[in-house]
Amino acid sequence: GQKVVLITGCSSGIGLRIAVTLAKDEKKRYHVIATMRDLKKKDKLVEAAGDAYGKTLMLLPLDVCSDESVRQCINNVKDRHIDILINNAGVGLLGPVESISIEEMKRVFETNFFGVVRMIKEVMPDMKKRRSGHIVVMSSVMGLQGVVFNDVYTASKFAMEGFCESMAVQLMKFNIRLSMIEPGPVHTEFETKMMEDVAKMEYPGVDADTVRYFKDVYLPSSIDIFEAMGQTPEDIAQCTKKVIESNSPRFRNLTNSLYTPIVALKYADETGGLSVNTFYNLLFNFGPLMHITMSILKCLTCSCLRRRTISPN
Ligand code: NAD
């Protein structure tokens, strides 16, 4: 029979694309429940789903930050039966920490960390009873490696990775699979929203040097990295489809082979010096030459490291 897949954050970006890709599966193997906070934002998804809408794809409202909304949403699913839960909803946060209030930081954790925990808590008991299920979480390479000026976002993804790494062990006992997808940069509204936030940003309490490092050194390099390395939501949707269709899905799934050398640094030197120094050099010494740095990185991506990613095709 059809597998019931529930996805969070489907009004845009990666979530929208996963929902459409699964709903349009040629063999119609999935019944997709695409959820979003505000159903008024459904038009883009409905349009992209085309004929699948109302057949293999249905919509439900869901705010991952609300206990009540999460419970109601799952109660509205037939028999509360979900085979595959895809935790995709997430928010970014960029900038010098001095200028970010603790309230704003908590909002990021409320979505990226507690949002996932809330969903898993609601869905897991039924999966345990059935001794089957697959939980997929949209992490990031920033769940594996800290990135300057992404301090709080990175921390929220690390928190989630720690949670999942711990959960995976007991879930295995119940025949429930857990997989994390770890994309590098992806061209979505995420990037646009963050750049808009940055444009609006004021820097109360931040010294002039830090503001300059952020605006004139970090931001241009970051835009270069997006251009040189960015994947499409379609790429990530294909990777996710592969993961849920695998007989033995991996726990960690990097999607971008250009990032594997950066992640490998961490495992190559357990003191952390190699990672911190490399990132320092990338930003402050090679930053202005980011295009050249990117070409070097591409050369460095030898086949043995590339094998560790999951590719969209
Ligand atoms: P996006 O902004 O297009 O999508 C995020 C979605 O989550 C939006 O539809 C948003 O409305 C939704 N959302 C936010 N708060 C929510 C809440 N409380 N309840 C329900 N939905 C909520 O960006 P995206 O790039 O598609 O992001 C999807 C996921 O991919 C996020 O978890 C993000 O951290 C992760 N990711 C993105 C990138 C990237 O470069 N874009 C890279 C790695 C990982």
Side-chain angles (χ1 to χ4, degrees), residues 38-313:
D38 183 359
L39 286 184
K40 282 195 225 90
K41 292 205 178 138
K42 69 175 193 293
D43 293 355
K44 246 199 308 176
L45 172 66
V46 168
E47 191 189 321
D51 287 350
Y53 179 56
K55 294 186 184 124
T56 46
L57 184 138
M58 62 171 281
L59 303 178
L60 280 179
L62 171 66
D63 177 352
V64 299
C65 291
S66 153
D67 291 348
E68 188 48 38
S69 167
V70 167
R71 189 166 316 121
Q72 253 181 28
C73 178
I74 305 303
N75 282 342
N76 281 330
V77 174
K78 186 168 175 285
D79 301 329
R80 291 175 56 95
H81 182 122
I82 293 161
D83 295 298
I84 303 170
L85 166 67
I86 303 183
N87 293 287
N88 162 78
V91 291
L93 186 62
L94 188 59
V97 283
E98 297 96 315
S99 62
I100 305 172
S101 68
I102 298 287
E103 279 317 304
E104 278 178 273
M105 297 182 189
K106 283 185 177 168
R107 186 181 58 85
V108 174
F109 269 79
E110 196 54 56
T111 313
N112 296 2
F113 177 66
F114 290 110
V116 173
V117 174
R118 217 173 256 119
M119 290 304 299
I120 293 181
K121 275 183 66 124
E122 194 63 30
V123 166
M124 183 176 62
D126 294 274
M127 286 185 170
K128 278 185 169 177
K129 268 185 227 148
R130 294 196 306 269
R131 295 288 194 277
S132 84
H134 194 171
I135 296 169
V136 177
V137 180
M138 202 49 68
S139 180
S140 166
V141 287
M142 292 198 212
L144 293 165
Q145 171 61 57
V147 175
V148 62
F149 293 126
N150 286 271
D151 318 79
V152 176
Y153 174 73
T154 299
S156 72
K157 293 292 191 189
F158 266 58
M160 200 191 67
E161 290 241 349
F163 179 81
C164 290
E165 210 170 83
S166 311
M167 289 297 304
V169 177
Q170 68 140 315
L171 291 180
M172 189 183 266
K173 193 72 187 153
F174 291 89
N175 194 36
I176 302 168
R177 289 143 175 210
L178 181 63
S179 303
M180 298 187 293
I181 319 276
E182 286 137 336
V186 185
H187 300 289
T188 64
E189 283 177 28
F190 199 79
E191 180 191 358
T192 335
K193 280 176 205 161
M194 265 196 319
M195 290 307 165
E196 281 168 10
D197 288 348
V198 166
K200 275 185 279 178
M201 236 172 135
E202 289 165 44
Y203 303 94
V206 189
D207 64 280
D209 282 339
T210 305
V211 173
R212 189 162 51 80
Y213 296 143
F214 175 58
K215 285 174 65 175
D216 303 340
V217 183
Y218 170 77
L219 280 181
S221 328
S222 156
I223 291 166
D224 276 351
I225 289 179
F226 257 94
E227 273 171 26
M229 294 181 150
Q231 290 181 296
T232 63
E234 180 62 36
D235 289 336
I236 310 309
Q238 290 303 334
C239 290
T240 307
K241 191 163 187 280
K242 264 194 186 174
V243 168
I244 64 177
E245 286 171 4
S246 164
N247 286 326
S248 48
R250 302 186 209 167
F251 177 59
R252 286 212 161 79
N253 299 275
L254 287 159
T255 69
N256 192 329
S257 61
L258 292 171
Y259 258 91
T260 51
I262 287 174
V263 176
L265 295 177
K266 187 163 190 165
Y267 299 108
D269 172 16
E270 71 282 9
T271 73
L274 192 55
S275 305
V276 175
N277 290 322
T278 304
F279 272 89
Y280 180 88
N281 283 322
L282 273 174
L283 187 67
F284 292 111
N285 296 333
F286 303 128
L289 300 170
M290 195 46 92
H291 286 298
I292 297 171
T293 314
M294 287 303 136
S295 329
I296 298 171
L297 263 183
K298 282 183 194 175
C299 300
L300 277 177
T301 315
C302 61
S303 57
C304 71
L305 291 172
R306 193 173 293 141
R307 236 190 292 135
R308 295 163 54 117
T309 66
I310 183 142
S311 83
N313 8 71

